[in-house]
Amino acid sequence: MATPAELARHRAGPRTPTEHIWFDRYAPHRLQAWRRVQDPLADLCLADIPFQRPAGLLDEVERRAAARGGVYQDFLDHCFTVPGWVDFEAMELGRRMYRRHGALQGLVLMCSSLVEGYAHNKPSQVLVATGRLQKDVSRRIYETGQMLHNIAAPEGLRPGGLGHRTLMEVRLLHAAVRRFLAERGDWDEARYDLPINQEDMAGTVLEFDYMVVRGLKRLGLYISAEEHRAMHYFWRYAGYLLGVDEALLTSTVEEQEVLALQLTAHLYEPTPDSEALAKALLRDMANKPPFHLPYDVLLAFSRFLIGDAVADDLRLHSKVSSAAAVRLVRATLSAASLGQRLLPETAKRRLEDFNHGLGRRTLKVGLGGDPARWGFKALG
């Protein structure tokens, strides 16, 4: 995607009969058709519910489902009906991997996934239109962290668990934003297509899964093929709960790479808005927990993770000393990752619990001490 090797991989095209199918499945004209599709189940629920924090939206849907049934019950039925391809035990390793690397996942998401996503001009226009990322940047990032923290909680994505509920809340929040933009009446549909459409939603799953794993590997962490498959499987079901059509939920890591390449080829169009969003994100998160890193070091991490080509397009440049510090961190993480592989299973679980606890403390600082003001109902 961002590196010369990934760009060369896309130019080379399909290498096997299966890849021919995948490249055609996610061809630009097919992806463009998904930009005309949103999330009807969630959108019908939010047609006349007053806007409020996501937890309140889901509470209201549940109240109306109990009283009226209809579209409200349809939404709940969809979320609580587990597809036949889901095996919670098989995705447990994926949940544990995200729990184990929660802090570094946050760094990669901030400096790589989100920054690179802003270079996709059409999806990023929702943030420009709502003004959310420039007005209240760090709070939105901590709310995203709350979602990721909750889905890595012990019950994971099982129905009735906190992670499952949090993804339902996010899904309704997206529907509320679509309704807000529709009612405001100034969204340029001819230029940007429908807001928060299926292609955009599939791209969001890639940011949390494909780009995070790619970033962790670039930082020197060893992730086995089995662990990678489990992380992908975990997010396949998370994407389903977020309302992504199953036709856009890839079945394998290899298929996911093709979708990522095709989606980037279709949407990559950095603009001054992309640069402004990226710099606003990194500037506002500078010197904040859990890393307390200066702005220039965050720039260096971003450039290292997304590659020179994308960084140049977004005009992200750092000092040589910051770039050197990032490479030193990578060497340290690589050595630590090797040592971590040798830990007994009980020690790995203690490490996962420690990192999850660190995430909870960080998020409580970032979100503030009043749970009534948090976007989502609870913190795992």
Side-chain angles (χ1 to χ4, degrees):
M1 293 173 69
T3 66
E6 288 166 333
L7 294 173
R9 166 77 180 90
H10 185 257
R11 285 194 297 270
R15 299 170 296 192
T16 67
T18 300
E19 286 191 358
H20 275 282
I21 295 171
W22 293 338
F23 269 82
D24 177 69
R25 180 177 297 162
Y26 306 119
H29 70 281
R30 299 192 192 281
L31 291 176
Q32 183 60 37
W34 284 112
R35 300 194 63 77
R36 305 297 307 168
V37 184
Q38 293 173 310
D39 183 0
L41 276 176
D43 291 337
L44 286 172
C45 284
L46 267 291
D48 64 349
I49 292 179
F51 187 79
Q52 54 194 296
R53 70 188 183 119
L57 295 175
L58 182 52
D59 287 343
E60 181 62 22
V61 167
E62 290 173 332
R63 281 193 291 269
R64 295 191 183 196
R68 308 182 199 174
V71 297
Y72 310 105
Q73 189 61 51
D74 291 342
F75 174 80
L76 297 180
D77 288 344
H78 178 266
C79 293
F80 279 90
T81 301
V82 179
W85 50 264
V86 171
D87 181 335
F88 291 110
E89 292 303 318
M91 68 175 64
E92 177 63 10
L93 177 60
R95 182 194 70 84
R96 288 183 55 200
M97 287 296 291
Y98 285 112
R99 186 180 177 93
R100 186 180 306 169
H101 301 299
L104 287 177
Q105 176 190 9
L107 181 66
V108 171
L109 180 70
M110 177 173 61
C111 293
S112 176
S113 303
L114 296 178
V115 168
E116 190 172 338
Y118 299 152
H120 295 176
N121 182 43
K122 288 184 176 183
S124 66
Q125 287 304 311
V126 171
L127 294 172
V128 175
T130 58
R132 181 74 199 277
L133 198 65
Q134 289 173 311
K135 291 178 182 175
D136 201 4
V137 182
S138 59
R139 183 163 190 86
R140 180 179 179 273
I141 298 306
Y142 285 123
E143 286 173 352
T144 301
Q146 184 183 3
M147 177 193 76
L148 297 175
H149 179 85
N150 285 352
I151 67 175
E155 67 274 19
L157 301 177
R158 295 176 186 270
L162 180 58
H164 184 272
R165 182 177 184 85
T166 301
L167 292 181
M168 293 170 66
E169 292 173 352
V170 172
R171 185 173 176 181
L172 291 173
L173 173 63
H174 290 166
V177 172
R178 286 190 290 264
R179 177 179 151 200
F180 167 76
L181 292 174
E183 290 179 348
R184 198 169 71 172
D186 59 353
W187 177 261
D188 192 343
E189 184 178 325
R191 186 175 182 183
Y192 302 122
D193 309 309
L194 296 176
I196 316 183
N197 56 64
Q198 282 291 324
E199 185 187 30
D200 295 346
M201 293 159 63
T204 297
V205 172
L206 292 176
E207 289 181 359
F208 290 128
D209 179 15
Y210 176 84
M211 293 185 190
V212 164
V213 174
R214 184 191 67 179
L216 293 175
K217 288 181 176 180
R218 286 183 183 174
L219 285 178
L221 272 64
Y222 174 79
I223 296 175
S224 71
E226 178 188 11
E227 290 166 341
H228 193 175
R229 287 193 295 269
M231 295 168 84
H232 169 262
Y233 185 44
F234 180 83
W235 260 101
R236 189 176 200 266
Y237 182 48
Y240 173 87
L241 293 174
L242 287 170
V244 180
D245 192 285
E246 287 194 58
L248 290 172
L249 295 172
T250 57
S251 298
T252 66
V253 169
E254 294 76 16
E255 182 184 358
Q256 184 186 53
E257 180 190 32
V258 173
L259 172 60
L261 294 171
Q262 291 286 70
L263 191 144
T264 295
H266 186 227
L267 291 179
Y268 188 80
E269 184 190 0
T271 67
D273 285 335
S274 306
E275 178 186 347
L277 288 167
K279 290 181 175 177
L281 164 65
L282 299 178
R283 187 177 295 110
D284 202 67
M285 289 301 295
N287 302 307
K288 284 188 169 69
F291 300 106
H292 301 280
L293 294 174
Y295 176 56
D296 196 70
V297 174
L298 292 180
L299 286 172
F301 266 109
S302 186
R303 188 172 183 90
F304 178 80
L305 290 167
I306 67 178
D308 290 342
V310 178
D312 286 344
D313 284 345
L314 297 175
R315 307 207 318 186
L316 302 179
H317 303 283
S318 67
K319 298 175 183 176
V320 173
S321 57
S322 296
V326 168
R327 295 189 180 278
L328 178 61
V329 169
R330 185 198 183 280
T332 303
L333 289 173
S334 181
S337 180
L338 178 61
Q340 188 183 107
R341 311 301 299 182
L342 304 176
L343 292 175
E345 189 65 22
T346 53
K348 290 180 180 177
R349 289 186 181 274
R350 283 198 295 269
L351 176 63
E352 292 159 14
D353 291 342
F354 172 81
N355 282 332
H356 204 63
L358 173 63
R360 178 179 172 81
R361 292 190 293 275
T362 299
L363 290 168
K364 288 186 77 172
V365 172
L367 294 168
D370 181 8
R373 298 188 63 230
W374 296 351
F376 306 116
K377 194 163 195 174
L379 182 62

